[in-house]
Amino acid sequence: MKTSETPTTTKKRNPVLWVPTAYFGMGLPFVVLNMVAVLMYKGLGVSDAKIAFWTSLIMLPWTLKPLWSPLLEMYRTKKFFVVLTQMVSGITFGLIALTLHLPSFFAVTIALFAVVAFSGATHDVACDGVYMDELNAQEQAKYIGWQGAFYNVAKIIGTGVLVYLAGALKDAYDGPSEDAVLYSWTVIIIVLGVVMFSLGLYHTRMLPSGKHARSVTSFSESMTELWSVIRNFFTKKHILYYICFIILYRFAEGFVMKIVPLFLKAGRDVGGLGLTEQQIGIYYGTFGAAAFVLGSLLGGYYISARGLKKTLFSLCCVFNLPFMAYTLLAVFQPQSAPLIGGAIVLEYFGYGFGFVGLTLFMMQQVAAGPHQMAHYAFASGIINLGVMVPGMMSGYVSDALGYKVFFIFVLVATIPAFLTTWFVPFTHEDSK
């Protein structure tokens, strides 16, 4: 009798049936913790510096996931961990919705969000492992755009649709504004829980299992294997340069990730744009959604047609230059919807187009070898560190400089990304 853990050996599952949903499930917890929770806490009266620090700190599991990623190759199947973590995240979101009503809601919900972070980081390792096991190099390049698009469709759903619904529910609530905010976000978090649990149910049937786990017989053997995986990663050719590259590629993004939604919502008297949740949701969920999906898909096909080595620097430029749009918004504080929407379109297209290059580089240059899944987890954990650290500082820097000077500072922070990308070496053959 077959179980959900039996690797698919007879008929290969069409990637279109599982790549979009798997990477949507990967992106949703990350986006909620990074951006949606920021707006939720802002509406509940938490300070900017406190929001930026704690919602950045709880992203630590995405940095530490290399510590347990090798263990996921030793037990059960990668599909088992994908399904399990999606269901755990769904249940934990339900608990968060309940604890929002406690007097000490901030501390309790941050702790529960940390559980979601650990579950989500483990999900990322296993999901990437399925992707790399099931698809060859050419297929990885072909579907990298789908992967990136649907990972960030989660970003659009979270920061667009769900934020808009939170604002609409708040306006429709017949009661004090504090109760309206609490009610609206409770409903949104419950919806998130249902979506994540449903994805787990879907993937019990539709997700391929990947390779068999390597058999281990004792704890000491597991630790020996773990040390071997870690040592193999840090002795790779050009590894120190690769670590610097993957940290600096997204360094500027780490500063803006927490501050942009706060800047959009902040009053115009303090340098923000004074947008409502509905307006933010419309900008992200319509213009941003279309631009991001288009950018991700075009980025994947662009790499597939020309090769990663020839396209990586141009991808870095497209990824980092759109931060200039927010600088212009902070300087001029326009009220025009086309101008604000245009800036968001530029950012999301650039993010979608440029991010797929970094993802494929980590898969094919950094993670290539016998421990591909674990080494990709190492690389993605390191890249998250490059986002988490500036994110933790961003609230204090923004408070000290003001929004206008802060975004100018972010532009300066993009320079190291251009330099490291221009000179980055390729260890493995770059096949189109």
Coordinates of all heavy atoms in Angstrom, one line a residue, residues 155-216:
K155 N 3.4 37.1 -1.4 CA 3.7 38.5 -0.9 C 2.6 39.4 -1.3 O 2.2 40.3 -0.5 CB 5.1 38.9 -1.5 CG 5.5 40.3 -1.0 CD 6.9 40.6 -1.5 CE 7.4 41.9 -0.9 NZ 8.8 42.3 -1.4
I156 N 2.1 39.3 -2.5 CA 1.1 40.1 -3.0 C -0.2 39.8 -2.3 O -1.0 40.7 -1.9 CB 0.9 40.0 -4.6 CG1 2.2 40.3 -5.3 CG2 -0.2 40.9 -5.1 CD1 2.8 41.6 -5.0
I157 N -0.5 38.5 -2.1 CA -1.8 38.2 -1.4 C -1.7 38.7 0.0 O -2.7 39.3 0.5 CB -1.9 36.6 -1.4 CG1 -2.2 36.1 -2.8 CG2 -3.1 36.2 -0.5 CD1 -3.4 36.6 -3.5
G158 N -0.6 38.6 0.6 CA -0.4 39.0 2.0 C -0.5 40.5 2.2 O -1.4 41.0 2.9
T159 N 0.3 41.2 1.4 CA 0.4 42.7 1.6 C -0.7 43.4 0.8 O -0.9 44.6 1.0 CB 1.8 43.2 1.2 OG1 2.1 42.8 -0.1 CG2 2.8 42.6 2.1
G160 N -1.3 42.7 -0.2 CA -2.3 43.3 -1.0 C -3.7 42.9 -0.6 O -4.4 43.7 0.1
V161 N -4.1 41.7 -0.9 CA -5.5 41.3 -0.7 C -5.8 41.2 0.8 O -6.8 41.8 1.3 CB -5.7 39.9 -1.3 CG1 -7.1 39.4 -1.0 CG2 -5.5 39.9 -2.8
L162 N -5.0 40.6 1.6 CA -5.3 40.5 3.1 C -5.3 41.8 3.8 O -6.1 42.1 4.7 CB -4.4 39.5 3.7 CG -4.5 38.0 3.2 CD1 -3.5 37.1 4.0 CD2 -5.9 37.5 3.3
V163 N -4.3 42.7 3.5 CA -4.3 44.0 4.1 C -5.5 44.8 3.7 O -6.1 45.5 4.5 CB -3.0 44.7 3.7 CG1 -3.0 46.2 4.1 CG2 -1.8 44.0 4.3
Y164 N -5.9 44.7 2.4 CA -7.1 45.4 2.0 C -8.3 44.9 2.8 O -9.1 45.7 3.2 CB -7.3 45.2 0.5 CG -8.6 45.9 0.0 CD1 -8.6 47.2 -0.4 CD2 -9.8 45.2 -0.1 CE1 -9.7 47.8 -0.9 CE2 -10.9 45.8 -0.5 CZ -10.9 47.1 -0.9 OH -12.0 47.7 -1.4
L165 N -8.4 43.6 2.9 CA -9.6 43.0 3.6 C -9.5 43.4 5.1 O -10.6 43.7 5.7 CB -9.5 41.5 3.5 CG -9.9 40.9 2.1 CD1 -9.8 39.4 2.1 CD2 -11.3 41.3 1.7
A166 N -8.3 43.5 5.6 CA -8.3 44.0 7.0 C -8.8 45.4 7.2 O -9.6 45.7 8.1 CB -6.8 43.9 7.5
G167 N -8.5 46.3 6.2 CA -9.0 47.6 6.3 C -10.5 47.7 6.1 O -11.2 48.4 6.7
A168 N -11.0 46.8 5.1 CA -12.4 46.8 4.8 C -13.2 46.3 6.0 O -14.3 46.8 6.4 CB -12.7 46.0 3.6
L169 N -12.7 45.2 6.7 CA -13.4 44.7 7.8 C -13.4 45.7 9.0 O -14.4 45.8 9.7 CB -12.7 43.4 8.3 CG -12.9 42.1 7.4 CD1 -11.9 41.0 7.8 CD2 -14.3 41.6 7.5
K170 N -12.3 46.4 9.1 CA -12.2 47.4 10.2 C -13.3 48.5 10.0 O -14.0 48.9 10.9 CB -10.8 48.0 10.2 CG -10.6 49.1 11.3 CD -9.3 49.7 11.3 CE -9.2 50.7 10.1 NZ -7.9 51.4 10.1
D171 N -13.4 48.9 8.7 CA -14.4 50.0 8.4 C -15.9 49.5 8.6 O -16.8 50.3 8.9 CB -14.2 50.5 7.0 CG -12.9 51.3 6.8 OD1 -12.3 51.7 7.9 OD2 -12.5 51.5 5.7
A172 N -16.1 48.2 8.3 CA -17.4 47.6 8.4 C -17.8 47.3 9.8 O -19.0 47.1 10.1 CB -17.5 46.4 7.5
Y173 N -16.9 47.2 10.7 CA -17.2 46.8 12.1 C -17.9 47.9 12.8 O -17.5 49.1 12.8 CB -15.8 46.5 12.8 CG -16.0 46.0 14.2 CD1 -16.3 44.6 14.4 CD2 -15.9 46.8 15.4 CE1 -16.5 44.1 15.7 CE2 -16.1 46.3 16.6 CZ -16.4 44.9 16.8 OH -16.5 44.4 18.1
D174 N -19.0 47.6 13.5 CA -19.8 48.6 14.2 C -19.4 48.6 15.7 O -19.9 47.9 16.5 CB -21.3 48.2 14.1 CG -22.2 49.2 14.7 OD1 -21.7 50.3 14.9 OD2 -23.4 48.9 15.0
G175 N -18.4 49.4 16.0 CA -17.9 49.5 17.3 C -16.7 50.4 17.4 O -16.3 51.0 16.4
P176 N -16.1 50.5 18.6 CA -14.9 51.4 18.8 C -13.8 51.0 17.8 O -13.6 49.8 17.4 CB -14.5 51.1 20.2 CG -15.7 50.6 20.9 CD -16.5 49.8 19.9
S177 N -12.9 51.9 17.5 CA -11.9 51.7 16.5 C -10.9 50.6 17.0 O -10.4 49.8 16.2 CB -11.1 53.0 16.1 OG -10.5 53.5 17.3
E178 N -10.6 50.6 18.3 CA -9.6 49.6 18.8 C -10.2 48.2 18.6 O -9.5 47.2 18.2 CB -9.3 49.8 20.3 CG -8.6 51.1 20.6 CD -9.5 52.3 20.7 OE1 -10.8 52.1 20.5 OE2 -9.1 53.4 20.9
D179 N -11.5 48.0 18.9 CA -12.1 46.7 18.7 C -12.2 46.3 17.2 O -12.1 45.2 16.8 CB -13.5 46.7 19.3 CG -13.5 46.8 20.8 OD1 -12.5 46.6 21.4 OD2 -14.6 47.2 21.4
A180 N -12.4 47.3 16.4 CA -12.5 47.1 14.9 C -11.2 46.6 14.4 O -11.1 45.6 13.6 CB -12.9 48.4 14.2
V181 N -10.1 47.2 14.8 CA -8.7 46.7 14.4 C -8.5 45.3 14.8 O -8.0 44.4 14.1 CB -7.6 47.7 14.9 CG1 -6.3 47.1 14.6 CG2 -7.8 49.1 14.3
L182 N -8.8 45.0 16.1 CA -8.6 43.7 16.6 C -9.4 42.6 15.9 O -9.0 41.6 15.6 CB -8.9 43.7 18.1 CG -8.6 42.4 18.9 CD1 -7.1 42.2 18.9 CD2 -9.0 42.6 20.4
Y183 N -10.7 43.0 15.7 CA -11.6 42.1 14.9 C -11.1 41.8 13.5 O -11.0 40.6 13.1 CB -13.0 42.7 14.9 CG -13.9 42.1 13.8 CD1 -14.5 40.8 14.0 CD2 -14.2 42.8 12.6 CE1 -15.3 40.3 13.0 CE2 -15.0 42.2 11.7 CZ -15.5 41.0 11.9 OH -16.4 40.5 10.9
S184 N -10.7 42.8 12.8 CA -10.3 42.6 11.4 C -9.0 41.7 11.3 O -9.0 40.8 10.5 CB -10.0 44.0 10.8 OG -8.9 44.7 11.4
W185 N -8.0 42.0 12.2 CA -6.8 41.2 12.1 C -7.0 39.7 12.6 O -6.4 38.8 12.2 CB -5.7 41.9 12.8 CG -5.1 43.0 12.0 CD1 -5.2 44.3 12.3 CD2 -4.4 42.9 10.8 NE1 -4.6 45.1 11.3 CE2 -4.1 44.2 10.4 CE3 -4.0 41.8 10.0 CZ2 -3.4 44.5 9.2 CZ3 -3.3 42.1 8.8 CH2 -3.0 43.4 8.4
T186 N -8.0 39.6 13.5 CA -8.3 38.2 14.0 C -8.8 37.4 12.8 O -8.4 36.2 12.6 CB -9.3 38.2 15.1 OG1 -8.8 38.9 16.2 CG2 -9.7 36.8 15.5
V187 N -9.7 38.0 12.0 CA -10.3 37.3 10.9 C -9.2 37.0 9.9 O -9.1 35.8 9.3 CB -11.4 38.1 10.2 CG1 -11.9 37.5 8.9 CG2 -12.6 38.3 11.2
I188 N -8.3 37.9 9.6 CA -7.3 37.7 8.6 C -6.3 36.6 9.0 O -5.9 35.7 8.2 CB -6.5 39.0 8.4 CG1 -7.4 40.1 7.8 CG2 -5.2 38.8 7.5 CD1 -8.0 39.7 6.5
I189 N -5.9 36.5 10.3 CA -5.0 35.5 10.7 C -5.7 34.1 10.7 O -5.0 33.1 10.4 CB -4.5 35.8 12.2 CG1 -3.8 37.1 12.2 CG2 -3.6 34.7 12.7 CD1 -2.5 37.1 11.3
I190 N -7.0 34.0 11.0 CA -7.7 32.8 10.8 C -7.7 32.3 9.4 O -7.5 31.1 9.1 CB -9.2 32.9 11.4 CG1 -9.1 33.1 12.9 CG2 -10.0 31.7 10.9 CD1 -10.5 33.4 13.5
V191 N -7.9 33.3 8.4 CA -7.9 32.9 7.0 C -6.5 32.4 6.6 O -6.4 31.4 5.9 CB -8.2 34.2 6.2 CG1 -7.9 33.9 4.7 CG2 -9.7 34.6 6.3
L192 N -5.5 33.0 7.2 CA -4.1 32.5 6.9 C -3.9 31.0 7.4 O -3.3 30.2 6.7 CB -3.1 33.3 7.6 CG -2.8 34.7 6.9 CD1 -2.0 35.6 7.9 CD2 -2.1 34.5 5.6
G193 N -4.5 30.7 8.6 CA -4.4 29.4 9.1 C -5.1 28.4 8.2 O -4.6 27.3 8.0
V194 N -6.3 28.7 7.8 CA -7.0 27.8 6.9 C -6.3 27.6 5.6 O -6.2 26.4 5.1 CB -8.4 28.4 6.6 CG1 -9.2 27.6 5.6 CG2 -9.3 28.4 7.9
V195 N -5.7 28.6 5.0 CA -5.0 28.5 3.7 C -3.8 27.6 3.9 O -3.6 26.6 3.1 CB -4.6 29.9 3.2 CG1 -3.6 29.7 2.0 CG2 -5.8 30.7 2.8
M196 N -3.0 27.8 4.9 CA -1.8 26.9 5.1 C -2.2 25.5 5.4 O -1.5 24.6 4.8 CB -1.0 27.5 6.3 CG -0.2 28.8 6.0 SD 0.9 28.6 4.5 CE 2.0 27.3 5.1
F197 N -3.2 25.2 6.2 CA -3.6 23.8 6.5 C -4.1 23.2 5.2 O -3.9 22.0 4.9 CB -4.6 23.8 7.6 CG -4.8 22.5 8.2 CD1 -4.0 22.0 9.2 CD2 -5.8 21.6 7.7 CE1 -4.1 20.8 9.8 CE2 -5.9 20.3 8.3 CZ -5.1 19.9 9.4
S198 N -4.9 23.9 4.4 CA -5.4 23.4 3.2 C -4.3 23.0 2.2 O -4.4 22.0 1.4 CB -6.4 24.4 2.5 OG -7.5 24.7 3.4
L199 N -3.3 23.9 2.1 CA -2.1 23.5 1.3 C -1.5 22.2 1.7 O -1.1 21.4 0.8 CB -1.1 24.7 1.3 CG -1.4 25.9 0.5 CD1 -0.4 27.0 0.9 CD2 -1.5 25.7 -1.0
G200 N -1.4 22.0 3.0 CA -0.8 20.7 3.5 C -1.7 19.6 3.0 O -1.1 18.5 2.6
L201 N -3.0 19.7 3.0 CA -3.9 18.6 2.6 C -3.7 18.4 1.1 O -3.6 17.2 0.6 CB -5.3 18.9 2.9 CG -5.7 19.0 4.4 CD1 -7.2 19.4 4.5 CD2 -5.5 17.6 5.0
Y202 N -3.6 19.4 0.3 CA -3.4 19.3 -1.1 C -2.1 18.6 -1.5 O -2.0 17.7 -2.3 CB -3.4 20.7 -1.8 CG -3.1 20.7 -3.2 CD1 -4.1 20.4 -4.2 CD2 -1.8 21.1 -3.7 CE1 -3.8 20.4 -5.6 CE2 -1.5 21.1 -5.0 CZ -2.5 20.8 -6.0 OH -2.2 20.8 -7.3
H203 N -1.0 18.9 -0.8 CA 0.3 18.4 -1.1 C 0.5 17.0 -0.6 O 1.4 16.3 -1.0 CB 1.4 19.3 -0.5 CG 1.5 20.6 -1.3 ND1 1.6 21.8 -0.7 CD2 1.5 20.9 -2.6 CE1 1.7 22.8 -1.6 NE2 1.6 22.2 -2.8
T204 N -0.4 16.5 0.2 CA -0.3 15.0 0.6 C -0.5 14.2 -0.7 O 0.0 13.1 -0.7 CB -1.4 14.6 1.6 OG1 -2.7 14.9 1.1 CG2 -1.2 15.4 2.9
R205 N -1.2 14.7 -1.7 CA -1.4 13.9 -2.9 C -0.6 14.4 -4.1 O -0.2 13.7 -4.9 CB -2.9 13.9 -3.3 CG -3.8 13.2 -2.3 CD -5.2 13.0 -2.8 NE -5.2 12.3 -4.0 CZ -5.3 11.0 -4.1 NH1 -5.2 10.2 -3.0 NH2 -5.3 10.3 -5.3
M206 N -0.4 15.7 -4.2 CA 0.1 16.3 -5.4 C 1.6 16.5 -5.4 O 2.2 16.7 -6.5 CB -0.6 17.6 -5.7 CG -2.1 17.6 -5.9 SD -2.6 16.3 -7.1 CE -1.9 17.0 -8.6
L207 N 2.2 16.5 -4.2 CA 3.7 16.8 -4.2 C 4.5 15.6 -4.3 O 4.3 14.6 -3.6 CB 4.0 17.5 -2.8 CG 5.4 18.1 -2.7 CD1 5.6 19.3 -3.5 CD2 5.7 18.4 -1.2
P208 N 5.5 15.5 -5.3 CA 6.4 14.4 -5.3 C 7.2 14.3 -4.1 O 7.5 15.3 -3.4 CB 7.2 14.7 -6.6 CG 7.1 16.1 -6.8 CD 5.8 16.6 -6.3
S209 N 7.8 13.1 -3.8 CA 8.5 12.9 -2.6 C 9.9 13.3 -2.6 O 10.6 13.5 -1.5 CB 8.3 11.5 -2.1 OG 7.0 11.2 -1.8
G210 N 10.5 13.3 -3.8 CA 12.0 13.5 -3.8 C 12.7 12.2 -3.6 O 12.1 11.1 -3.5
K211 N 14.0 12.3 -3.3 CA 14.8 11.1 -3.1 C 14.5 10.5 -1.7 O 14.1 11.1 -0.8 CB 16.3 11.4 -3.2 CG 16.7 11.9 -4.6 CD 18.2 12.2 -4.7 CE 18.6 12.7 -6.0 NZ 20.0 13.2 -6.1
H212 N 14.9 9.2 -1.6 CA 14.8 8.5 -0.3 C 15.8 9.2 0.7 O 16.9 9.6 0.3 CB 15.2 7.0 -0.4 CG 14.1 6.2 -1.1 ND1 13.0 5.8 -0.4 CD2 14.0 5.7 -2.4 CE1 12.3 5.1 -1.3 NE2 12.9 5.0 -2.4
A213 N 15.4 9.2 2.0 CA 16.3 9.7 3.0 C 17.4 8.7 3.1 O 17.3 7.5 2.9 CB 15.6 9.8 4.3
R214 N 18.6 9.2 3.4 CA 19.8 8.4 3.6 C 19.6 7.7 5.0 O 19.3 8.3 6.0 CB 21.1 9.2 3.6 CG 21.4 9.7 2.2 CD 22.9 10.2 2.1 NE 23.1 11.2 3.1 CZ 22.9 12.5 2.8 NH1 22.4 12.8 1.6 NH2 23.2 13.5 3.6
S215 N 19.9 6.4 5.0 CA 19.7 5.6 6.3 C 20.8 5.9 7.3 O 22.0 5.9 7.0 CB 19.7 4.1 5.9 OG 19.6 3.4 7.1
V216 N 20.4 6.2 8.5 CA 21.4 6.4 9.6 C 20.9 5.5 10.8 O 19.7 5.2 10.9 CB 21.4 7.9 10.1 CG1 22.1 8.7 9.0 CG2 20.1 8.4 10.5

